[in-house]
Amino acid sequence: MNIPLIPGIQAWQAYRESDMDVTERERTEAVLEKNMIEEIIKTRDITPGQLEELLKTEDTGLLEELREAACETAKQIYGTGIYLRGLIEFTNYCKNDCYYCGIRKSNRNAVRYRLTKEEILACCKAGHELGFGTFVLQGGEDPYFTDERICDIVSEIRICYPDCAITLSLGEKTKESYQRYFNAGADRYLLRHETADTAHYAKLHPPELSLEHRMKCLRELKEIGYQTGCGFMVGSPYQTVGTIYRDIQFIRELKPHMVGIGPFIPHGDTPFADREQGSLERTLRLLSLIRLIDPYVLLPATTALGTIHPQGRERGILAGANVVMPNLSPVSVREKYMLYNNKICTGEEAAECRDCLRRRIEGIGYRIETGRGDKKFSNSKDTKNMF
Ligand code: 5AD
Ligand code: FES
């Protein structure tokens, strides 16, 4: 029997078509699987066949090897430090109508709110006192927040907290607007690409939104010099191994600083109310894979992951994630920023969330890293990752 020496999909195909006996099969399987993870590490890439195998396998040995490799990779670079990003959800008004999102404009049941500049600054003050080095201002695409208003808020935060990082997550804007926010003092921007497959994108969004424009925004953000984050939901309706493969390739090309991935969770007042929730297991496998493909990437263990499983965020960290984003929004509005059903942390004050996360992180042998959390990156305009 000629056991293929080259790992990867050809090897798998040859192996599957072979007539090896059981022990030989098991031995070969072990060799091939080991090689698969090694090959991912070596090439920082994955083939479509390997991805399919990785997402579908029930081989616990292989899965543990994947998880451990990712966890070790994160530890080699970041040690046991987990970065905190304080999330301020400052408006749930949105002019868009994404089919998956609970704050889409067509959801008449959403109770809308906007925080004032003073309220946003109060969140930053509380966060700063709790030791947060990064504020993430996230909101729907709300026309009330004109460039002037955003720049006014950003520059005020910049003056009050010169050492903090200011992250914006306000959706699609013109390059000119992104530049204005940057000049006002913002240094990071999160804009999930949602899916890198055009046809899939069109099934998740109304026709006025396009993947092409989304990608243009992401490239412009990088050009301006933002530390940029993209990302996608795991298990969104119509997602396939093929669309995930495209996500992975897109991430490899864009080289973002952060990749936010979390499970899709249906929201009762959206067209996807009856769709199946994304799986914990699949999310964890993809977190590990992304860690191996881009060792330096900042990878949050998301609130959505914590929502679908009580230890979801801890499991995320143990799969290679190294960021958590506790909520700094006033408790009075938390329930209203409902992107999906049963979102956690809606009743907790900022300090409670921070303490809860600290306990969780320390409980699995990690610790909270204070500060801006970008010491691993150069501050130059070249925002390429080191890999
Ligand atoms: N389930 C999980 N994640 C969601 N998001 C929006 N709606 C949902 C949902 N139903 C994610 C999107 C968006 C980010 C802010 O939240 O990926 O970019
Ligand atoms: Fe918010 Fe646990 S992180 S309560």
Side-chain angles (χ1 to χ4, degrees), residues 100-102 138 192 194 214 232-233 263-267 304 339-340:
Y100 46 85
C101 186
Q138 186 172 85
R192 288 193 180 178
E194 311 297 358
R214 196 79 167 179
F232 61 96
M233 293 174 286
F264 161 74
I265 305 173
H267 186 295
L339 305 181
Y340 45 80

Side-chain angles (χ1 to χ4, degrees), residues 227-256:
Q227 291 180 19
T228 305
C230 67
F232 61 96
M233 293 174 286
V234 177
S236 60
Y238 310 104
Q239 186 178 61
T240 61
V241 175
T243 65
I244 298 174
Y245 180 72
R246 282 176 175 263
D247 290 323
I248 302 289
Q249 294 310 321
F250 176 66
I251 292 166
R252 290 183 67 246
E253 278 163 38
L254 183 73
K255 297 184 175 63

Side-chain angles (χ1 to χ4, degrees), residues 63-247:
L63 292 172
E64 184 52 18
E65 196 188 336
L66 169 72
R67 192 198 64 73
E68 216 169 87
C71 201
E72 273 312 305
T73 302
K75 271 194 183 162
Q76 274 169 24
I77 295 161
Y78 294 103
T80 53
I82 300 294
Y83 295 110
L84 286 190
R85 268 73 169 120
L87 190 61
I88 303 169
E89 298 157 335
F90 70 97
T91 173
N92 72 349
Y93 281 86
C94 192
K95 66 179 169 65
N96 290 337
D97 222 8
C98 307
Y99 303 148
Y100 46 85
C101 186
I103 63 168
R104 64 198 300 266
K105 73 169 175 205
S106 298
N107 181 8
R108 306 269 168 257
N109 293 331
V111 181
R112 305 286 170 173
Y113 74 92
R114 287 184 185 109
L115 298 186
T116 62
K117 178 180 162 190
E118 290 66 35
E119 286 171 318
I120 295 171
L121 287 166
C123 291
C124 295
K125 185 166 183 287
H128 191 251
E129 280 162 10
L130 290 169
F132 288 82
T134 301
F135 305 120
V136 184
L137 265 58
Q138 186 172 85
E141 289 193 20
D142 179 357
Y144 170 85
F145 284 101
T146 56
D147 288 355
E148 284 69 32
R149 288 192 168 113
I150 294 293
C151 289
D152 182 37
I153 294 164
V154 169
S155 46
E156 187 95 15
I157 300 174
R158 177 50 68 232
I159 291 165
C160 295
Y161 309 102
D163 299 332
C164 286
I166 303 173
T167 305
L168 299 179
S169 181
L170 322 172
E172 298 182 16
K173 307 279 175 182
T174 61
K175 187 171 185 184
E176 190 200 357
S177 299
Y178 288 146
Q179 185 70 58
R180 289 177 69 179
Y181 311 153
F182 190 79
N183 296 346
D187 20 43
R188 301 175 181 163
Y189 204 101
L190 305 181
L191 182 69
R192 288 193 180 178
H193 65 283
E194 311 297 358
T195 172
D197 181 281
T198 311
H200 186 208
Y201 198 92
K203 290 179 180 160
L204 299 179
H205 302 95
E208 38 310 351
L209 296 176
S210 74
L211 177 60
E212 198 187 349
H213 191 256
R214 196 79 167 179
M215 291 189 166
K216 179 169 175 273
C217 289
L218 280 162
R219 296 211 170 87
E220 288 172 349
L221 287 163
K222 280 205 84 178
E223 275 161 25
I224 291 168
Y226 280 99
Q227 291 180 19
T228 305
C230 67
F232 61 96
M233 293 174 286
V234 177
S236 60
Y238 310 104
Q239 186 178 61
T240 61
V241 175
T243 65
I244 298 174
Y245 180 72
R246 282 176 175 263
D247 290 323

Side-chain angles (χ1 to χ4, degrees), residues 313 345 348 353 356-357 360:
R313 287 168 298 177
C345 302
E348 281 75 12
C353 264
C356 162
L357 275 167
R360 288 168 182 271

Side-chain angles (χ1 to χ4, degrees), residues 367-382:
R367 66 194 161 73
I368 287 176
E369 185 85 67
T370 50
R372 288 169 49 111
D374 54 4
K375 65 172 189 241
K376 304 282 175 191
F377 301 113
S378 75
N379 278 333
S380 76
K381 258 200 135 188
D382 176 15

